[in-house]
Amino acid sequence: MSGFNIAIDGPAGAGKSTAAREIASRLALKYIDTGAMYRALTWKGIIKGIDFHQPQEIESLTLDTKITIEKGPGGSNLLYLDNVDVTAEIRDPAVNRNVSLVAKNPKVRETMVSQQQVIASNGGVVMDGRDIGTNVLPGAEFKFFITASLEERARRRYLELKEHGHDTTLEEVKKDINIRDKIDSERELAPLVAAEDAVLVDTTNLSAEEVVGKMVKHIKEHIQAGSI
Ligand code: DC
């Protein structure tokens, strides 16, 4: 199956990437984690020691920067920044704290969005982020908006960070997610909002398997009905 695109948006920790990765693998599509692209630029800023409150310094991150995504283990994304694999580094708590400031910069968004549109131009892509259905791929054949309660999202992110050896507390993660949600939802440009034609999926009380099952069922029903 290819030719069509699937846009998956929602707040941090709602389960977008798990769902997107699994759907891509079941439908033989390419998975693209757009958050990872903003994270890679943020990592570059950390290495360069920029001041994240200075827009010009953030804009300079887009110059002479090459971001590439390749398929990794289990269908995950490997993220290369200027040909260096930074897949692990972009999950660092320091990136979590600054990435919303990078992602709200208009010049950064313009650059990232056009790269994302090129990646999806031939179809066959499952892309997750915040503005995919509304802004990057408004013509995507399928759009989903995935949510979960703040408590549940913080719990999932906390377990994920612990698993990767990061030293943090549940309260800290909850605070970070809350701040990030606020910046992402209230920014002027392409804020986090569900596309009018997106299917809403609340994952608070669902397992990953149930979420993916629901979404794949929706996709297959529409394909069989010939509505795409
Ligand atoms: O999904 P994530 O936590 O990896 O996203 C990291 C940050 O990037 C988050 O603050 C939201 C932002 N982002 C965005 O503004 N637009 C996207 N398409 C994807 C992520």
Side-chain angles (χ1 to χ4, degrees):
M1 260 189 249
S2 66
F4 60 86
N5 287 320
I6 302 175
I8 302 181
D9 293 300
K16 295 183 302 289
S17 39
T18 308
R21 201 171 51 231
E22 186 56 29
I23 290 170
S25 133
R26 289 198 199 175
L27 302 181
L29 304 170
K30 187 172 178 179
Y31 165 51
I32 300 291
D33 172 3
T34 61
M37 298 170 73
Y38 293 97
R39 286 172 176 274
L41 279 186
T42 309
W43 180 245
K44 184 161 184 165
I46 291 168
I47 295 170
K48 290 178 77 173
I50 70 154
D51 178 350
F52 285 97
H53 293 282
Q54 296 298 329
Q56 304 93 308
E57 296 196 26
I58 289 185
E59 278 167 28
S60 74
L61 297 174
T62 60
L63 302 172
D64 297 322
T65 299
K66 188 173 149 206
I67 293 177
T68 34
I69 294 181
E70 282 178 25
K71 193 170 174 178
S76 64
N77 280 179
L78 292 177
L79 203 296
Y80 291 84
L81 172 68
D82 299 326
N83 302 317
V84 178
D85 183 349
V86 293
T87 310
E89 288 81 351
I90 62 170
R91 303 293 154 193
D92 194 278
V95 172
N96 290 343
R97 282 194 295 275
N98 292 300
V99 66
S100 287
L101 297 171
V102 173
K104 76 173 195 174
N105 182 285
K107 174 80 185 138
V108 165
R109 295 207 76 79
E110 191 189 309
T111 312
M112 294 298 105
V113 168
S114 63
Q115 287 185 16
Q116 291 154 10
Q117 289 172 335
V118 168
I119 294 172
S121 58
N122 293 323
V125 164
V126 182
M127 196 170 266
D128 84 15
R130 302 294 190 286
D131 63 336
I132 310 303
T134 49
N135 194 41
V136 180
L137 305 175
E141 283 75 6
F142 294 98
K143 294 181 187 178
F144 294 95
F145 192 85
I146 302 196
T147 57
S149 69
L150 174 63
E151 275 67 29
E152 178 60 17
R153 292 188 289 120
R155 193 186 67 83
R156 291 176 190 167
R157 271 289 149 102
Y158 170 71
L159 293 177
E160 218 173 86
L161 284 166
K162 284 301 244 193
E163 199 184 303
H164 289 97
H166 294 292
D167 182 25
T168 183
T169 66
L170 181 59
E171 268 318 300
E172 236 169 54
V173 175
K174 195 165 152 184
K175 205 173 106 207
D176 277 358
I177 288 192
N178 211 2
I179 295 172
R180 217 134 58 84
D181 280 358
K182 203 167 147 54
I183 302 178
D184 292 341
S185 311
E186 292 177 359
R187 70 178 175 224
E188 232 164 90
L189 203 59
L192 169 66
V193 58
E196 272 178 25
D197 49 350
V199 174
L200 300 183
V201 184
D202 185 337
T203 71
T204 309
N205 298 308
L206 297 178
S207 66
E209 179 54 38
E210 287 170 322
V211 173
V212 171
K214 242 177 168 341
M215 293 168 76
V216 169
K217 183 164 174 270
H218 173 90
I219 294 164
K220 287 193 168 162
E221 279 172 1
H222 278 73
I223 291 173
Q224 275 155 13
S227 57
I228 71 144

